[in-house]
Amino acid sequence: MFVQEEKIFAGKIIKIHICTMEGTEWLEEVTEDTTIEKLKEKCLKHYVHGSLEDPKTITHHKLLHAATERILTETKTIADESLKDKDVILLIKKRPPPPPPKMADISAEEKKKQENKAPDKDAILKATASLPIRHTDRTVTQHNIRDFQTELRKILVSLIEVAQKLLALNPDAVELFKKANAMLDEDEEDRVDETALQQLTEMGFPESRAVKALRLNHMSVTQAMEWLIEHVDDPAVDTPLPGQDTPGAVGATAPPLVPSISASASTDAATARQDELTEIFKRIRRKREFRPDSRAVVALMEMGFDEKEVVDALRVNNNQQDAACEWLLGDRKPSPEDLDKGIDTNSPLFQAILENPVVQLGLTNPKTLLAFEDMLENPLNSTQWMNDPETGPVMLQISRIFQTLNRT
């Protein structure tokens, strides 16, 4: 019995269930080594009932495996595509590409875009020239808000000068400033939010690093955690922040606050005491030195700004990155030097503040001086001082007086 050679070496014969989009169905018998392209040709011959006169008919169709919803690759075989007996294959006509647009259509589309184009500033001003002006209060409100931020800082600068003079005249100045300096150190130790610290230590961070991260990131747990992760391999990660050395080291290196005053040389002693108190104020201010947000510094420096001007921008704008960026790109007003200028001491506003009994009493408290210094350099700490039982009433009175005079 004669058997064709191709039948001997042919692969396993399987039956494929073919379906068209019109609903026609039939079975095609193919071997496992048949290519998908050959299977498509057989399906199209069956579908068009004859030979394929138009060669585009083959290229304009494709086979899709119904179960997996994947298009079969024409160069692969039945075995390569893992087709099995009775698998359902869809014969689908490819979607034709969109025809290229005509020149007339392009011109019409461009004309339509020009018609829908937003008007420029000159066109808007010309079209609205005859309209009455409205909502002018909005500009005034924004101006007043800006004045509030600027004037409040000026008020604090001038009140610090008054508080220094009042406290220096106090016969108990020595004890008062010993208390103030101790209070400042104690405040630095107690500033850490215990809840935030616990969250970080429970994550596995060492307590000393967690404390440093929280202080650098204004008690924000999320930012502190990111800082700790970023600096995990930093050799200086455990270096204490300035002014946060151990109390013993600080006491050993710090000069005495106020020298003893002799009764027989009151004038010279008073001058010496004033000079020494001035040094104390400078020391307190150094401890309250402005600390820029490290993440904001990196982000702004990546934009091409110099580190010094970035720190100035963050200081002027209370560590707010977006506002600092606008300041750097704008006219840079107010300048960093403007931050150290006080309010006119003869102005009605400042006189009204000084005449307030609550403010007068508060200015004799060293803690109020520390609060003013802290808010100047770290405005984000204002909430803490507003909630303090000793400094809160003073800040509330200053705010009320400013708002009252500002409205009038």
Side-chain angles (χ1 to χ4, degrees):
M1 180 180 177
F2 177 73
V3 181
Q4 295 181 4
E5 185 179 354
E6 62 178 13
K7 293 290 185 179
I8 295 174
F9 296 100
K12 178 184 177 183
I13 297 176
I14 61 174
K15 294 181 179 180
I16 304 295
H17 190 172
I18 308 297
C19 296
T20 67
M21 298 301 293
E22 290 78 15
T24 307
E25 301 181 25
W26 71 92
L27 291 175
E28 284 286 355
E29 290 187 357
V30 291
T31 59
E32 290 183 330
D33 56 355
T34 303
T35 63
I36 300 300
E37 185 179 13
K38 290 290 184 183
L39 173 60
K40 184 172 70 171
E41 288 181 12
K42 291 183 67 174
C43 293
L44 286 172
K45 285 180 181 179
H46 183 279
Y47 182 56
V48 298
H49 305 291
S51 62
L52 302 175
E53 296 180 359
D54 186 1
K56 292 184 179 179
T57 305
I58 296 178
T59 59
H60 286 180
H61 287 77
K62 59 185 177 181
L63 295 179
L64 186 143
H65 190 245
T68 59
E69 300 181 0
R70 60 186 173 87
I71 298 173
L72 302 180
T73 305
E74 295 186 359
T75 57
K76 292 184 177 181
T77 65
I78 298 293
D80 293 338
E81 291 287 0
S82 302
L83 298 183
K84 299 175 182 175
D85 202 35
K86 301 296 177 65
D87 273 1
V88 179
I89 303 296
L90 300 180
L91 177 63
I92 303 173
K93 192 172 184 179
K94 294 179 181 179
R95 185 178 300 172
K102 299 178 181 178
M103 291 304 299
D105 295 337
I106 295 176
S107 300
E109 185 69 23
E110 289 296 325
K111 185 178 179 180
K112 187 176 180 182
K113 286 182 179 179
Q114 291 294 330
E115 292 174 352
N116 295 334
K117 186 178 179 181
D120 56 17
K121 183 178 180 180
D122 293 336
I124 293 173
L125 292 175
K126 183 178 179 181
T128 59
S130 59
L131 297 177
I133 298 175
R134 297 181 180 179
H135 305 299
T136 54
D137 293 339
R138 188 173 302 170
T139 303
V140 174
T141 302
Q142 292 176 352
H143 179 69
N144 285 344
I145 291 174
R146 181 64 184 173
D147 281 349
F148 172 74
Q149 297 295 337
T150 305
E151 292 299 316
L152 180 59
R153 184 174 185 89
K154 291 180 179 179
I155 291 170
L156 292 177
V157 170
S158 295
L159 287 177
I160 286 172
E161 294 178 2
V162 174
Q164 288 176 352
K165 292 176 182 177
L166 288 175
L167 290 168
L169 294 173
N170 193 311
D172 298 325
V174 177
E175 293 301 322
L176 282 174
F177 282 104
K178 281 183 178 179
K179 177 183 176 183
N181 202 55
M183 191 184 303
L184 180 59
D185 292 333
E186 180 184 353
D187 181 60
E188 286 293 333
E189 293 297 326
D190 297 339
R191 187 173 295 279
V192 179
D193 186 329
E194 292 298 330
T195 304
L197 179 60
Q198 182 179 356
Q199 291 182 34
L200 292 175
T201 53
E202 287 178 352
M203 295 178 191
F205 297 110
E207 184 175 345
S208 58
R209 291 188 187 181
V211 169
K212 181 177 180 179
L214 287 170
R215 285 175 174 158
L216 285 174
N217 293 277
H218 309 293
M219 299 302 144
S220 170
V221 176
T222 304
Q223 294 183 9
M225 180 179 65
E226 292 178 1
W227 184 92
L228 287 165
I229 294 172
E230 291 174 3
H231 295 78
V232 65
D233 296 324
D234 188 347
V237 67
D238 293 318
T239 303
L241 294 172
Q244 291 181 4
D245 297 327
T246 59
V250 173
T253 58
L257 286 174
V258 180
S260 59
I261 301 173
S262 173
S264 62
S266 58
T267 304
D268 294 339
T271 304
R273 181 177 64 177
Q274 184 65 39
D275 293 340
E276 191 66 27
L277 292 178
T278 302
E279 290 301 317
I280 293 172
F281 294 139
K282 290 181 180 178
R283 196 179 309 141
I284 290 174
R285 185 163 292 181
R286 283 196 297 271
K287 287 186 177 182
R288 291 303 191 188
E289 188 180 43
F290 172 71
R291 294 173 188 163
D293 187 329
S294 56
R295 294 177 45 160
V297 170
V298 173
L300 292 172
M301 288 183 65
E302 287 176 350
M303 297 181 188
F305 297 111
D306 182 71
E307 183 177 2
K308 182 182 181 302
E309 58 186 4
V310 166
V311 173
D312 287 342
L314 291 171
R315 182 168 178 253
V316 171
N317 293 280
N318 303 339
N319 257 334
Q320 301 298 318
Q321 181 178 327
D322 293 341
C325 183
E326 292 180 8
W327 184 87
L328 288 165
L329 296 172
D331 58 2
R332 303 195 176 186
K333 298 293 183 180
S335 66
E337 292 75 20
D338 294 335
L339 299 181
D340 297 324
K341 294 180 181 178
I343 193 174
D344 181 7
T345 54
N346 296 319
S347 65
L349 173 59
F350 193 67
Q351 292 299 320
I353 292 173
L354 289 182
E355 291 171 1
N356 185 277
V358 177
V359 176
Q360 291 177 359
L361 183 62
L363 292 177
T364 62
N365 184 349
K367 192 172 184 179
T368 305
L369 175 61
L370 300 181
F372 290 167
E373 291 280 4
D374 190 25
M375 284 186 286
L376 277 183
E377 301 303 332
N378 298 286
L380 294 176
N381 293 339
S382 299
T383 305
Q384 170 194 341
W385 296 113
M386 287 291 292
N387 295 327
D388 188 276
E390 295 182 61
T391 59
V394 179
M395 296 303 304
L396 181 61
Q397 291 301 317
I398 294 173
S399 176
R400 285 179 177 175
I401 294 170
F402 177 84
Q403 298 296 342
T404 301
L405 293 183
N406 199 35
R407 284 195 296 267
T408 57

